[in-house]
Amino acid sequence: MRWRLIITVALVCAASAAIALWVLHAPQIGHWFQVRTGIVNESGPYYGFWSGFGSDLEEFGILGAIGAGIYQLVKKYNCHEPGCWRIGQHPAAGGQFLLCYRHHPDYRGKKPTHELIERLHREHLERQAVMHGKLDEIRQHLQAKPPDAHRANGPGTTPTTIVRP
């Protein structure tokens, strides 16, 4: 919080100094600005602008599009915590969010240690084993169930004919 205040005060002082210099040297700065942007009527109205500074407007648009693309790329990979500019490398909530180590709930603001990585890996393997065990139980339950008579002659099967004497 203190650094923000110092930076804000420094920017306000720099802007005030720039405005003071502009006011003190207005004729020279104004003429320099008119010549550089092509506003001075050289050979016709606005000719200097469109053949000078105005012709660069397209380049500013291209640079703006490149900047917007870079911003979107950074935004995709940065931490999903609002206001955080760190790179999100750690998935959370089943992979829905990418968080930095400071905002990830498993790390609690500290970089992951070797013990933490081993513990999280072990918990993951235990969850996977429980899930596979339940799937094996369901599969065995379905295989042990005897087929119904209705299922035996269901769609896609040929009905058996009963011969009566």
Side-chain angles (χ1 to χ4, degrees), residues 151-164:
R151 281 192 189 166
N153 291 333
T157 60
T158 57
T160 55
T161 56
I162 299 174
V163 180
R164 295 190 184 164

Side-chain angles (χ1 to χ4, degrees), residues 10-143:
L11 288 175
V12 168
C13 290
S16 299
I19 291 172
L21 284 174
W22 183 289
V23 170
L24 291 175
H25 302 288
Q28 294 91 4
I29 294 175
H31 180 70
W32 175 86
F33 183 73
Q34 289 174 347
V35 169
R36 296 301 177 258
T37 58
I39 298 173
V40 177
N41 189 5
E42 293 177 355
S43 63
Y46 305 111
Y47 173 77
F49 176 77
W50 288 115
S51 63
F53 182 74
S55 67
D56 295 334
L57 293 178
E58 178 184 356
E59 294 167 10
F60 294 142
I62 291 171
L63 291 176
I66 291 171
I70 290 172
Y71 170 74
Q72 289 298 322
L73 184 65
V74 167
K75 186 178 175 184
K76 179 179 179 182
Y77 292 109
N78 72 340
C79 179
H80 283 127
E81 179 73 23
C84 181
W85 282 87
R86 290 182 189 88
I87 302 295
Q89 298 175 337
H90 309 287
Q96 289 180 332
F97 302 106
L98 284 176
L99 298 173
C100 65
Y101 70 90
R102 290 192 185 236
H103 295 112
H104 197 280
D106 289 338
Y107 304 145
R108 295 187 180 98
K110 299 175 185 166
K111 288 190 176 182
T113 62
H114 183 71
E115 292 80 22
L116 178 65
I117 293 170
E118 284 182 346
R119 181 178 59 85
L120 292 174
H121 181 69
R122 191 172 44 251
E123 289 173 1
H124 172 73
L125 291 177
E126 289 170 0
R127 282 193 304 269
Q128 292 291 322
V130 168
M131 185 171 47
H132 286 295
K134 287 184 181 182
L135 287 174
D136 286 340
E137 287 177 17
I138 292 171
R139 184 178 48 83
Q140 289 174 359
H141 178 70
L142 290 174
Q143 286 178 348

